[in-house]
Amino acid sequence: MTAGRYLTLDDVDPGGLRVLVRSDLNVPLDAGAVDDDFRIVSALPTLERLVEAGAAVTVCSHLGRPEGVDPALSLGVVAERMDQISSLDVALERPADITVLENTRFNPGETLNSAEYAEELADGFDLFVQDAFGSVHRAHASTVGVAERVRSVAGPLLDKELKALGRFLSEPEVPYVVVLGGAKVSDKLAVIENLLPKVDAMLIGGGMCFTLLAAKGVEVGGSLLEEKMIERVRPLVEGSDREKIILPSDIVVATEFSADAAVEVVGAKQMEPGQIGLDIGPETSLLFAGVIRTAESVFWNGPMGVFEFASARSGTEAVARAMAETSAFSAVGGGDSAAALRELGLETHVSHLSTGGGASLELLEGRELPGVAVLERWLL
Ligand code: ADP
Ligand code: MG
């Protein structure tokens, strides 16, 4: 179902073809410059392989969430970085070994999956290569619309991601543990609901743990909290799978949300109204690391705390180290989790470092990924 059925680049000869590739070049920017090029470095081998095979290669991607044309989110800086890294000539919107199209989200038809924009994208191409794992959970013009119009295959990076993460779907080795953190509370609370029945244990830190603690009647002070979600998660913390959910027993708190605020460690049930939870505490870090080390399959998404603050980095660091040390099949997804792992120099110590955050979670939930499902029509 979710892993999908599709042809890959091994099934076609792209020589002499005009090929459009959808890559995931949605990289974090800092002051207009590429802040982390992991996705660029991951995308390039597919593009280079196509050029070497004699294809005329054009690549498209979105970058950020522009509403219409926004020069600050031009793919120009990305094309420049690609050109620096690759021995090939890479350029934005002009003929080159690899031609980069401008940000697909500059066109409102992208997220609407409009027929007009899908046709504009498809126009003049003989083959479409879907290689943007981080975007296939969205039914957009550059993921679904174009693949309905041009013969399409899965690219090697997409195929690798689906195969690696597919190990969590069909009878994963047990204990199967998922570690969740980060900030996108409402998105990820749905993930908890869908994943909980499938796992043996779910370790929850980061911003979302406070909504679950609140559902258990615990005071969470000024911590990140999604009040509207409290009722929704109550069945999880009271239901038959409640023992699988492992919440922090201690929390690093401060009275201000800032990098230089003084922090202290308090019991998770002893937080006071003026306190803000910034990280899981040391006792929780030890507990989480222990569970990760005894797992056989483990997936991690989302930092355990505000790791941008030196005072709130320990929990994320402990989880990253345990992910690197465990002998389990270990995978990490999510931009910030991947960045934390890379900052610690541990990125090669996990079994799989995914380029996709939301997409990896939706895959593990067992949801169909529209950008993968659409490829099936080209099997025959
Ligand atoms: P990923 O990119 O790995 O999917 P998210 O984008 O969901 O992760 O979350 C990353 C963000 O979560 C970080 O910027 C981090 O500061 C924030 N975060 C983690 N814990 C907390 C917390 N306790 N309070 C507020 N923000 C948090
Ligand atoms: Mg993020």
Side-chain angles (χ1 to χ4, degrees):
M1 155 198 60
T2 338
R5 282 164 25 87
Y6 47 78
L7 296 176
T8 69
L9 261 190
D10 297 329
D11 301 308
V12 293
D13 175 7
L17 299 185
R18 293 161 300 176
V19 179
L20 177 67
V21 184
R22 174 57 160 101
S23 294
D24 180 4
L25 304 175
N26 180 32
V27 294
L29 300 176
D30 185 22
V34 174
D35 195 32
D36 179 349
D37 64 8
F38 173 53
R39 284 179 165 170
I40 294 177
V41 170
S42 304
L44 267 171
T46 299
L47 303 169
E48 292 173 335
R49 169 174 164 183
L50 283 162
V51 173
E52 276 155 30
V57 179
T58 300
V59 59
C60 67
S61 174
H62 77 284
L63 175 61
R65 296 175 174 225
E67 315 245 335
V69 177
D70 176 356
L73 291 172
S74 167
L75 274 164
V77 284
V78 172
E80 273 168 37
R81 176 65 67 91
M82 291 167 79
D83 189 57
Q84 282 165 10
I85 299 174
S86 176
S87 58
L88 299 174
D89 177 33
V90 185
L92 183 73
E93 307 229 280
R94 71 161 171 79
D97 295 327
I98 300 168
T99 297
V100 182
L101 295 185
E102 189 50 284
N103 194 339
T104 51
R105 287 207 194 170
F106 283 1
N107 190 315
E110 164 70 326
T111 52
L112 297 170
N113 187 16
S114 79
E116 288 99 313
Y117 187 50
E119 257 144 48
E120 187 186 318
L121 277 174
D123 187 42
F125 291 104
D126 310 303
L127 180 70
F128 175 64
V129 178
Q130 176 54 269
D131 210 25
F133 175 65
S135 300
V136 288
H137 60 312
R138 307 264 179 246
H140 290 172
S142 71
T143 57
V144 170
V146 69
E148 287 169 340
R149 291 168 168 83
V150 184
R151 180 161 71 117
S152 301
V153 300
L157 177 62
L158 174 64
D159 187 42
K160 181 178 142 199
E161 292 268 17
L162 294 173
K163 290 205 169 109
L165 295 172
R167 285 184 58 169
F168 292 105
L169 280 178
S170 48
E171 297 177 23
E173 284 189 61
V174 296
Y176 171 22
V177 174
V178 167
V179 190
L180 290 177
K184 297 166 201 154
V185 181
S186 34
D187 290 7
K188 290 187 188 174
L189 289 172
V191 172
I192 300 176
E193 279 177 350
N194 293 331
L195 270 180
L196 194 60
K198 301 178 191 282
V199 303
D200 298 300
M202 188 176 281
L203 313 177
I204 301 176
M208 78 180 76
C209 74
F210 300 106
T211 304
L212 285 126
L213 287 167
K216 296 180 86 166
V218 170
E219 166 68 55
V220 298
S223 305
L224 200 62
L225 179 65
E226 199 117 9
E227 303 229 16
K228 280 177 281 174
M229 294 298 281
I230 295 179
E231 283 315 309
R232 171 128 173 239
V233 300
R234 205 183 299 280
L236 294 176
V237 297
E238 290 173 357
S240 56
D241 280 335
R242 65 183 180 280
E243 281 171 10
K244 293 181 182 178
I245 301 179
I246 306 181
L247 288 168
S249 58
D250 59 347
I251 304 281
V252 173
V253 298
T255 51
E256 256 177 77
F257 190 86
S258 92
D260 37 44
V263 297
E264 63 176 308
V265 176
V266 300
K269 292 180 182 153
Q270 272 81 51
M271 290 184 70
E272 285 167 18
Q275 293 177 328
I276 303 167
L278 296 181
D279 194 9
I280 58 173
E283 185 182 282
T284 308
S285 288
L286 270 178
L287 173 71
F288 282 14
V291 175
I292 292 168
R293 286 203 191 87
T294 55
E296 289 296 332
S297 320
V298 54
F299 178 82
W300 172 37
N301 169 273
M304 294 294 102
V306 188
F307 77 104
E308 297 90 335
F309 300 170
S311 56
R313 192 167 289 161
S314 309
T316 302
E317 209 172 305
V319 164
R321 291 199 190 286
M323 288 297 294
E325 282 163 19
T326 182
S327 56
F329 176 72
S330 57
V332 181
D336 292 287
S337 330
L341 201 70
R342 280 154 56 87
E343 269 172 42
L344 294 165
L346 298 173
E347 69 272 24
T348 59
H349 295 253
V350 293
S351 312
H352 182 71
L353 181 57
S354 178
T355 54
S360 60
L361 288 170
E362 290 199 14
L363 184 100
L364 263 63
E365 284 176 66
R367 291 207 236 172
E368 182 175 85
L369 304 173
V372 176
V374 70
L375 301 176
E376 186 166 347
R377 70 182 57 210
W378 300 102
L379 269 175
L380 297 177

